[in-house]
Amino acid sequence: MTLQQQVSLQSFNTFGIDAQADYFTAAHSLTEAIEALQWAKAHQQPVLILGGGSNVLLMQDVRGLVLQVSLKGIERLAEDEDTVRLRVGAGEPWHPFVLHCVAQNWGGIENLSLIPGTVGAAPIQNIGAYGVEIKEVLESVEVLDCQDFSLHTFSNAACAFGYRDSIFKQTAQGKYLITAVTFVLQKKPVLHLTYGAIQQTLEAMQVTHPTIQDVSRAVCHIRSTKLPNPQEIGNAGSFFKNPEIDLAHYEQLKTVFPAMPSYAVANPAKVKVPAGWLIEQAGWKGVRQGNVGVHKDQALVLVNYGGAQGSEIVALASQVQAAVRAKFEIDLTPEINYI
Ligand code: FAD
Ligand code: EPU
């Protein structure tokens, strides 16, 4: 284990916040991960587990040890005519893994192209985009208990997946280090084309019989026109979740705001409303306050124009929440993890 002291985390979080970690190490194997956790326990240091840092907001310097999960490897466990089972190291970067599968014509995650971060973090908030969530292709999650270093496997059902949610954000929060994820992908892919502008984009690309490669390219195109690239401007994707509100509340708002978009959800008593629309209507789209702001093209994305501290983002987020509450009586919940 290589342990560094007083390390800037600026290049380890996509917001680009320059917080310091007391200690930093990267674990490339299960042994290194256990060594790091044992070291932290022996020295009574708290541990922050980090993947690609694309869903965290560092509010201040991080006390204790930052442990970056870098366990690699894509292992084909089994396959038959229809499916392939893959066990993937938690430190594999997500998008290259998607491209690897797309290139083999293994379907199921092409709609999740270009999402930043690591494979190991993907189950934590059940990453989703363009009508697909990771829970639809995930078989199990392997974890290391951060306290007693025992190994466990969570089945899909045990992960208790929900919209941007899982057991790892609830009762098991901070308890485990995810080491690997097993997926079942389809060799005869079923395409998901109905969400958002996928169909339209494929038509513009003059694709009449789309493959999963085409879907992946279409999703990458849509995303790159909508979302700011963290390498150019610090951000962590959607800052808030899209709220699910009571049907009666929705119907009352719809009479005042007839143009308000909405989505049906599994619970018929609820309706999902896009937070980006609410923030824009509340007048915050494109607003800049010093180093931070609400993105000009996507109001759900808060950005660091450079040099921001986490506290500036937190202050902006609070004002946006207050404005949406005042106008719509809706509470926005952060999607990202405040550290
Ligand atoms: P990190 O930010 O490093 O960590 C996130 C949380 O998981 C932290 O609490 C951390 O402690 C914990 N964690 C990380 N790795 C492990 C591990 N191995 N074991 C245990 N705990 C761990 N998300 C979507 O769902 N859909 C999108 O379309 C989407 N688009 C995005 C677009 C942009 C431009 C950006 C910047 C982000 C986007 N995100 C999206 C959010 C983000 O990419 C995902 O949440 C991603 O899964 C985070 O991965 P990460 O490795 O960067 O996690
Ligand atoms: N909208 C506005 N103004 C804005 C932004 C959006 O009016 O500034 C409206 C759009 O016109 C559209 C609706 O809101 O009617 C939805 O917008 P969009 O399709 O851009 O998606 P989103 O709801 O903002 C969600 C996810 C994204 C995911 C996309 C595509 C959440 C919190 N966000 O965004 O995930 O990529 O759908 O599926 O569910 C993330 O989690 O970080 C993330 C980027």
Side-chain angles (χ1 to χ4, degrees):
M1 172 175 95
T2 313
L3 194 64
Q4 293 171 264
Q5 283 192 53
Q6 289 307 317
V7 173
S8 164
L9 296 173
Q10 191 164 24
S11 61
F12 296 107
N13 73 102
T14 60
F15 254 126
I17 304 287
D18 190 12
Q20 299 277 312
D22 290 340
Y23 300 95
F24 181 93
T25 191
H28 300 90
S29 64
L30 186 58
T31 312
E32 283 187 356
I34 294 172
E35 264 175 29
L37 292 171
Q38 279 173 333
W39 178 89
K41 195 171 184 181
H43 293 83
Q44 297 183 327
Q45 296 291 335
V47 177
L48 168 64
I49 297 168
L50 213 52
S54 65
N55 209 27
V56 289
L57 175 61
L58 303 174
M59 292 189 292
Q60 64 262 307
D61 288 344
V62 181
R63 296 277 78 90
L65 175 67
V66 170
L67 170 48
Q68 191 188 41
V69 177
S70 302
L71 285 78
K72 296 282 165 62
I74 302 176
E75 196 183 339
R76 209 181 301 190
L77 295 179
E79 66 184 307
D80 58 24
E81 229 175 85
D82 298 320
T83 59
V84 56
R85 273 177 78 221
L86 301 173
R87 179 178 182 271
V88 187
E92 285 288 345
W94 175 259
H95 178 60
F97 167 60
V98 172
L99 292 184
H100 170 78
C101 296
V102 165
Q104 317 286 325
N105 201 37
W106 296 334
I109 51 175
E110 56 280 359
N111 292 47
L112 304 178
S113 296
L114 215 56
I115 297 182
T118 54
V119 166
I124 293 176
Q125 73 157 7
N126 178 27
I127 57 167
Y130 297 95
V132 172
E133 290 180 328
I134 197 187
K135 70 170 186 189
E136 289 153 43
V137 293
L138 182 147
E139 184 180 271
S140 60
V141 176
E142 291 169 51
V143 303
L144 170 65
D145 188 307
C146 294
Q147 281 307 313
D148 65 13
F149 320 123
S150 56
L151 297 169
H152 306 267
T153 300
F154 282 72
S155 67
N156 182 307
C159 291
F161 288 121
Y163 164 60
R164 297 293 190 273
D165 200 18
S166 75
I167 194 166
F168 304 108
K169 282 187 90 171
Q170 301 295 335
T171 49
Q173 190 175 22
K175 209 169 173 299
Y176 301 109
L177 182 152
I178 294 176
T179 57
V181 182
T182 297
F183 299 93
V184 178
L185 301 180
Q186 301 299 319
K187 289 186 173 176
K188 296 169 189 158
V190 178
L191 304 183
H192 300 270
L193 305 178
T194 51
Y195 192 96
I198 296 185
Q199 193 76 60
Q200 232 175 302
T201 308
L202 288 169
E203 279 163 25
M205 288 160 57
Q206 299 189 317
V207 175
T208 44
H209 300 289
T211 61
I212 60 169
Q213 288 82 358
D214 296 321
V215 174
S216 174
R217 281 194 296 129
V219 168
C220 289
H221 175 77
I222 300 167
R223 293 181 66 95
S224 53
T225 59
K226 280 194 168 194
L227 291 163
N229 179 350
Q231 274 159 8
E232 289 160 13
I233 181 162
N235 77 91
S238 299
F239 193 91
F240 301 103
K241 292 188 196 183
N242 285 329
E244 289 179 12
I245 61 174
D246 291 339
L247 191 56
H249 187 183
Y250 165 75
E251 279 167 355
Q252 176 247 320
L253 284 174
K254 195 76 182 167
T255 60
V256 189
F257 307 101
M260 182 171 72
S262 62
Y263 310 97
V265 291
N267 180 351
K270 298 269 181 189
V271 178
K272 191 186 273 188
V273 180
W277 186 88
L278 298 171
I279 296 168
E280 180 171 349
Q281 297 303 311
W284 281 81
K285 189 169 182 170
V287 171
R288 179 170 178 164
Q289 288 184 345
N291 296 324
V292 300
V294 178
H295 193 251
K296 64 176 176 39
D297 300 325
Q298 226 305 358
L300 195 43
V301 178
L302 303 191
V303 297
N304 171 13
Y305 288 105
Q309 297 191 329
S311 55
E312 293 173 74
I313 303 273
V314 175
L316 176 68
S318 302
Q319 293 173 74
V320 168
Q321 283 172 308
V324 167
R325 196 176 302 121
K327 191 169 175 105
F328 300 102
E329 289 180 47
I330 293 177
D331 285 321
L332 294 182
T333 312
E335 183 206 90
I336 68 155
N337 302 279
Y338 283 37
I339 307 286

